[in-house]
Amino acid sequence: MPSGKLEVLLVSAKGLDDTDFFTKMDPYAIITCRTQEQKSNVAAGQGSSPEWNETFVFSVSGEVLELVIKIMDSDVISEDDFVGEAKIPLGTLFVEGNIPPTPYNVVVNDEFCGEIKVGLQFIPEDTNEYHGEEENFGGWKESSY
């Protein structure tokens, strides 16, 4: 089971279905890793191709299978609109350690409605207490050869 820090670089999105009729939408993302949730800045007036270039850090321990990114449209007068979501499997990341910015499908009701570009890095928790001092367990340095 992986344990450490998950860094999420939220780069941009494109081809999103615009939920506003008279103006460009103001998208933002809600990134969820298990029970932790973080929100991006609102890309005001950027419509269906927002750019964020924001980094988020999550603590990871135990069974974490995916990262969920919900894209919302910020509205002043009414409730924010749900634009779509991307589910990113994390199994490969825990093996590779790093996934450069990659486009992932954004879907609503299993239908494609754009893509989001996200970079991922996993930094394992240092479980070794070794701090540069030589440990003495005996062995070849203690032998008579």
Side-chain angles (χ1 to χ4, degrees), residues 114-133:
E115 64 183 36
I116 189 164
K117 188 181 277 190
V118 178
L120 301 169
Q121 182 173 10
F122 177 66
I123 303 157
E125 193 172 74
D126 185 14
T127 55
N128 185 358
E129 294 297 318
Y130 181 72
H131 296 289
E133 297 175 17

Side-chain angles (χ1 to χ4, degrees), residues 14-73:
K14 68 178 183 179
L16 299 175
D17 288 343
D18 200 332
T19 59
D20 287 343
F21 297 109
F22 301 110
T23 61
K24 287 188 174 183
M25 68 177 176
D26 305 311
Y28 65 92
I30 299 172
I31 305 167
T32 306
C33 181
R34 290 189 76 182
T35 60
Q36 300 168 70
E37 189 174 275
Q38 296 188 44
K39 179 183 168 187
S40 75
N41 289 319
V42 175
Q46 293 191 29
S48 60
S49 298
E51 290 191 17
W52 292 285
N53 293 312
E54 292 182 57
T55 301
F56 303 89
V57 179
F58 295 91
S59 294
V60 175
S61 61
E63 191 74 22
V64 181
L65 302 176
E66 66 184 8
L67 187 72
V68 177
I69 303 176
K70 287 184 183 176
I71 301 175
M72 304 292 290
D73 171 26

